[in-house]
Every structure is written in C-alpha cells, then in structure tokens.
Amino acid sequence: MAQIGLKYLICSELTETDSVATYNTGMVMSKAIKADISIEINEGKLYANDMLVENIKEFKSGKVSLNGDHLSYEVLALILGHTLSTLTPGTEQKLVAKGDDDGKCVGVGFYATTIKNGARKYRAIWLTKVKFGIPNESLETKGDAINFQTPTVEGTILTDILGVWKEEATFDTEAKAVAWLDDHANIGGVG
C-alpha cells in the first residue's frame, strides 16, 4: 500500500491505573507535515546443535518525530510541562519553560491516505504512550526568498499499562478515520 498524504495530528493526556489506560480530552496538535516512526527491538537468539534454533524479536521502544505547521502554547504546556499564563491586561499568553519541566505522557494520532490498485483508503494510527522532549528550534531571517521554519517535536514511544504501543485501522472514508481517532483521543465532535 502506497501512502500519499498525512493529516489530523492529535494528542491526549494519558492516565494509567493498575489495569486501565484512559485519555483526557484531546486536542489537535498541529496541521501535519511529516511523521517519522522508528522502532527499537530486543532480540534474543538461541543456538543449539551448531545452528540457530530460536529467535525472538520484541518491541523495546520507539521514536516518533512529528513536524507540523504550528504548535500552540496549550500543546507545548501539555507535552513539555511548561507553564502557561495570560498576560494582564489583555488576552495574550505567556509560556514559561523551566529546566525541570516534565511533560505528560500522551496518546498521539494521525492518519495517512493510502492507495492500492487505484482505491484510496485512510490508515489511522494511534500511538498509545509517547513522552516528548524539548524540541530544537531553527530561526532564520527572510532574504530574497521566504523559507518556512516549522516545528518538529520528538518523543519516545512506550508501551502502556496493557503492553500496547500502537493501534491502527484502515477505513473507506476520511470521516471514519477521524471518528476513530477522536474516540481514542476523547475528542468530541471535531473533524
């Protein structure tokens, strides 16, 4: 299946108890530009009678790199643990980043348009537990040409309390993919 698009980058704060993973009210993180996922595995090999007789490969952790058009202060406060306040007088916001800030673990979702034999489908992906780190920034002056600088955040993919690190489903319509992701992220009526 070839993928030809990426949309609807969302997240929701994860709460875990002894045997349940739930998500608080989610939010759109950004308009999606790019998502890269890389997985690390633990591998064990057993040799006997001068040959490999068992080989086990299991999920260890992963990395997700998300690039979008803009990350709001609300999103940065959630995923990085920064403090958000309103300036007075006015409605402008201020984000304060401290050295010991520690963001919440979140579920992260998005969907990609896929095509096979001319038929378009929509592959929705939900990463159940991601812990983001402080992103690098790149700023540059406007010269003869305009070069957009867009934020990229990187997070570690972990397994949730149930041992799950990813859920995905493929749908016939975008609306069904969005509804599935909204259900996971506890977003009501957004789409």
Side-chain angles (χ1 to χ4, degrees):
M1 228 178 334
Q3 297 182 149
I4 58 173
L6 179 67
K7 290 184 181 178
Y8 201 52
L9 183 54
I10 62 172
C11 72
S12 183
E13 182 182 344
L14 171 65
T15 301
E16 295 178 294
T17 61
D18 291 337
S19 61
V20 178
T22 58
Y23 297 94
N24 295 334
T25 302
M27 64 179 77
V28 174
M29 293 180 74
S30 175
K31 290 183 179 176
I33 295 173
K34 188 173 184 180
D36 289 316
I37 299 171
S38 60
I39 303 302
E40 296 179 42
I41 58 169
N42 284 324
E43 182 174 16
K45 295 180 181 181
L46 175 63
Y47 291 90
N49 284 347
D50 293 337
M51 69 175 93
L52 180 65
V53 294
E54 294 290 343
N55 186 299
I56 297 174
K57 295 184 180 191
E58 295 179 344
F59 177 85
K60 177 179 179 182
S61 70
K63 295 284 183 199
V64 61
S65 178
L66 303 172
N67 180 232
D69 70 328
H70 174 77
L71 292 172
S72 70
Y73 282 167
E74 290 82 4
V75 169
L76 292 172
L78 173 64
I79 67 173
L80 301 177
H82 298 332
T83 304
L84 181 61
S85 61
T86 302
L87 297 174
T88 53
T91 59
E92 292 86 6
Q93 294 180 314
K94 175 175 83 169
L95 186 71
V96 176
K98 295 182 180 177
D100 61 352
D101 287 348
D102 192 20
K104 306 285 185 176
C105 286
V106 294
V108 172
F110 45 85
Y111 72 91
T113 305
T114 63
I115 189 164
K116 183 175 180 184
N117 298 325
R120 289 178 190 246
K121 302 238 182 219
Y122 304 91
R123 178 182 174 218
I125 296 172
W126 181 253
L127 302 173
T128 62
K129 186 175 183 178
V130 177
K131 179 75 169 185
F132 285 100
I134 299 169
N136 293 324
E137 289 187 76
S138 177
L139 308 167
E140 91 180 45
T141 190
K142 182 173 66 172
D144 290 338
I146 296 173
N147 295 317
F148 286 102
Q149 304 297 318
T150 56
T152 299
V153 291
E154 293 185 4
T156 301
I157 302 168
L158 307 161
T159 57
D160 66 15
I161 193 71
L162 304 172
V164 178
W165 68 271
K166 177 177 83 167
E167 293 181 28
E168 71 174 81
T170 302
F171 300 93
D172 292 331
T173 68
E174 284 185 86
K176 288 180 182 177
V178 168
W180 186 79
L181 288 168
D182 284 349
D183 185 55
H184 278 69
N186 197 17
I187 296 176
V190 175

